[in-house]
Amino acid sequence: MEIENRIIFEDNHIIVVNKKSGELSQGDKTNDVTLPDLIKSYLKIKYNKPGNVYLRVVHRLDRPTSGLLVFAKTSKALSRLNHQFKLRTTKKVYWAIVEKLFPEEEGTLIHWMTRDKKKNRSKAHNKEVLNSKKAILHFKCIQYFNKYTLCELNYKVIKLTD
C-alpha cells in the first residue's frame, strides 16, 4: 500500500504518518477519503484484523498543509496524548517556504484572525476587528533561496474577551 511508505514511526500505541498536501486529517462535508481511512485500511490488512480498527487523530493539519501527524492506536494512548497537548508539553514545529526574502532573520508578526465558516477560510487582519482572535507568530529564517525563504514558525492564538 502507498501509505506504508509514509509511515515515520509505529509501535503498539501510536502511528506517525507524513500527510500529503490536499489530504484530510479528519472527515468533512466533502466526504472525501481521509488519511485515517487510509491508515485504518493499511492496519486492517497488515495485522489481519477481522473487525474495526481503532484509530484516532491526536491533532490536525489543514487540508493544504503537509507534515507529520500522530494517531493513537489505543484509547489509552489517545487519553495520554490529549492530556499532553492540553498541557502544551508537546512541541509543534512548523516549517514554511514563503515567497519573500525576509530582511531580518527572526521576528514576530501579530495579526487578528477571523473565520468564515461558510467558506471554511480564515483571514488575517492588521488590527483588531469584531469576533477576531489575536495571533502571535514567531519566525526564524533557516535558509534563503532565490526568492524564497524557509522559515521555522511557532504561533499561538489568543481569544480576546468581549
Side-chain angles (χ1 to χ4, degrees):
M1 292 185 100
E2 181 268 335
I3 198 76
E4 190 172 14
N5 300 326
R6 297 192 286 138
I7 296 171
I8 306 304
F9 176 83
E10 181 183 1
D11 66 13
N12 292 337
H13 306 284
I14 67 169
I15 185 166
V16 179
V17 178
N18 191 9
K19 177 193 163 307
K20 292 180 178 178
S21 174
E23 283 183 315
L24 288 170
S25 297
Q26 64 184 28
D28 70 0
K29 59 187 172 191
T30 65
N31 291 320
D32 290 345
V33 174
T34 66
L35 183 55
D37 295 334
L38 297 174
I39 298 169
K40 283 181 183 180
S41 295
Y42 162 78
L43 293 172
K44 189 171 184 71
I45 293 167
K46 179 179 179 182
Y47 296 107
N48 198 22
K49 291 205 174 247
N52 291 332
V53 173
Y54 184 92
L55 186 78
R56 298 293 185 268
V57 178
V58 176
H59 62 99
R60 300 178 315 274
L61 290 174
D62 291 342
R63 189 172 196 157
T65 305
S66 64
L68 300 183
L69 280 178
V70 179
F71 295 89
K73 293 170 55 179
T74 65
S75 59
K76 187 180 219 176
L78 178 64
S79 174
R80 289 178 176 175
L81 289 166
N82 282 341
H83 186 67
Q84 288 177 6
F85 273 83
K86 183 179 179 181
L87 294 178
R88 299 190 189 278
T89 57
T90 55
K91 182 178 178 185
K92 296 183 202 176
V93 177
Y94 297 89
W95 287 350
I97 297 175
V98 295
E99 194 173 13
K100 182 178 182 179
L101 294 176
F102 284 87
E104 55 284 330
E105 290 196 21
E106 290 187 48
T108 300
L109 302 173
I110 298 175
H111 290 92
W112 283 262
M113 306 299 295
T114 57
R115 180 124 181 104
D116 184 336
K117 290 182 181 177
K118 289 182 183 177
K119 293 182 181 178
N120 197 26
R121 299 257 185 228
S122 294
K123 183 176 181 181
H125 305 271
N126 289 326
K127 60 183 181 177
E128 186 176 358
V129 297
L130 185 65
N131 298 320
S132 63
K133 295 179 181 180
K134 187 176 185 179
I136 303 170
L137 180 131
H138 302 284
F139 69 89
K140 180 175 155 183
C141 299
I142 298 171
Q143 189 168 356
Y144 295 94
F145 302 97
N146 290 332
K147 59 179 181 172
Y148 301 99
T149 306
L150 173 63
C151 298
E152 181 175 299
L153 310 173
N154 293 290
Y155 76 93
K156 67 179 173 179
V157 176
I158 303 164
K159 182 169 173 67
L160 301 174
T161 57
D162 296 333

